[in-house]
Amino acid sequence: MTLAAPTHERGITTLTLDSPANRNALSARLVGELSAALAACAADDTVRAVVLTHTGNTFCAGADLTAPPDPAAFVALMRQIVALPKPVVARVTGHVRAGGLGLLGACDISAAGPGATFALTESRLGLAPAVISLPLLPRTDPRAAARYYLTGERFDAAEAARISLVTLAAGDDVDEALAPVLDGLRRASPQGLRASKELVTATVLESFDQHAEDLIARSAALFASAEAREGMTAFLERRDPAWVW
């Protein structure tokens, strides 16, 4: 399994990415398991909200280059999070890279601890943050998105909060920072949460409905290109790709 057994406490179900061997990379298996777990949460009346977290020092390293998911399946997973009739809260204490930011961006609320770092590294691999733009661009500061899409620079939790990639940068204790958030969700009615989430996700869902097909095709073309093959090979071989000056 790449997903730990769900835990449940006072209406909050926690789903934990648990594939430390590949830094919780988005494999076809992980995407399928997470989608099934989210569907179960949606159908369970005892679940008020979902917390998505991780084991190890990495929330998600992006696509698993050795066993990547179909782009359409990953898009469907991100849309499932956005459209889930219950809030999804990301709890991040480690690193988030590339496609992992799409997973994070699809969540309704997110908290990142001081050990969290973020980077959109696709341009360094001959790729682009294509399908993850669907949840990211409607929610992230556009000037910051331009910088980090183009440069692949790493940034910390405080910067992630400043550019609206995450909701809040926690201090030493992410769980302490999330406590009032989860308390608020527990106090809200299921109908109130569902209707309120529909309001705040409408623009994001429009992004999926209008642009998903084009971005899936664009992502597939980039992955099949010679530059991407060189970029991914260089990454796996831990060397600079041929285009680095």
Side-chain angles (χ1 to χ4, degrees), residues 8-147:
H8 188 79
E9 182 183 0
R10 296 177 51 221
I12 307 295
T13 291
T14 298
L15 303 179
T16 303
L17 306 182
D18 187 25
S19 183
N22 68 351
R23 300 167 65 225
N24 293 320
L26 291 161
S27 63
R29 182 177 181 181
L30 176 58
V31 167
E33 289 179 4
L34 183 53
S35 178
L38 288 166
C41 289
D44 188 343
D45 291 340
T46 69
V47 178
R48 185 65 50 82
V50 177
V51 170
L52 181 62
T53 189
H54 61 100
T55 59
N57 65 2
T58 302
F59 174 77
C60 179
D64 184 344
L65 299 182
T66 63
D70 182 272
F74 181 45
V75 167
L77 173 63
M78 291 189 292
R79 193 186 193 286
Q80 182 182 11
I81 294 171
V82 176
L84 204 77
K86 301 171 184 184
V88 181
V89 179
R91 176 189 176 276
V92 181
T93 61
H95 310 302
V96 192
R97 297 290 183 269
L101 275 76
L103 202 60
L104 181 63
C107 294
D108 302 289
I109 300 170
S110 50
T117 67
F118 306 83
L120 291 150
T121 54
E122 288 89 344
S123 66
R124 299 186 180 193
L125 298 176
L127 302 167
V131 296
I132 66 172
S133 292
L134 295 165
L136 286 182
L137 291 184
R139 288 175 159 165
T140 306
D141 175 80
R143 299 301 289 176
R147 173 180 176 175

Side-chain angles (χ1 to χ4, degrees), residues 117-226:
T117 67
F118 306 83
L120 291 150
T121 54
E122 288 89 344
S123 66
R124 299 186 180 193
L125 298 176
L127 302 167
V131 296
I132 66 172
S133 292
L134 295 165
L136 286 182
L137 291 184
R139 288 175 159 165
T140 306
D141 175 80
R143 299 301 289 176
R147 173 180 176 175
Y148 294 121
Y149 268 43
L150 295 172
T151 67
E153 293 171 88
R154 186 173 66 180
F155 53 97
D156 63 11
E159 176 70 352
R162 186 192 72 80
I163 67 175
S164 297
L165 174 64
V166 301
T167 310
L168 58 95
D172 293 334
D173 192 334
V174 174
D175 294 315
E176 182 179 344
L178 277 177
V181 172
L182 299 183
D183 180 65
L185 296 178
R186 288 182 170 112
R187 291 176 181 273
S189 81
Q191 175 177 277
L193 287 176
R194 182 173 60 252
S196 297
K197 178 165 177 172
E198 287 174 356
L199 293 174
V200 297
T201 58
T203 301
V204 184
L205 289 175
E206 286 177 7
S207 172
F208 277 85
D209 295 339
Q210 293 175 14
H211 304 298
E213 187 174 342
D214 171 64
L215 290 175
I216 289 170
R218 197 179 309 186
S219 177
L222 286 168
F223 266 96
S225 69

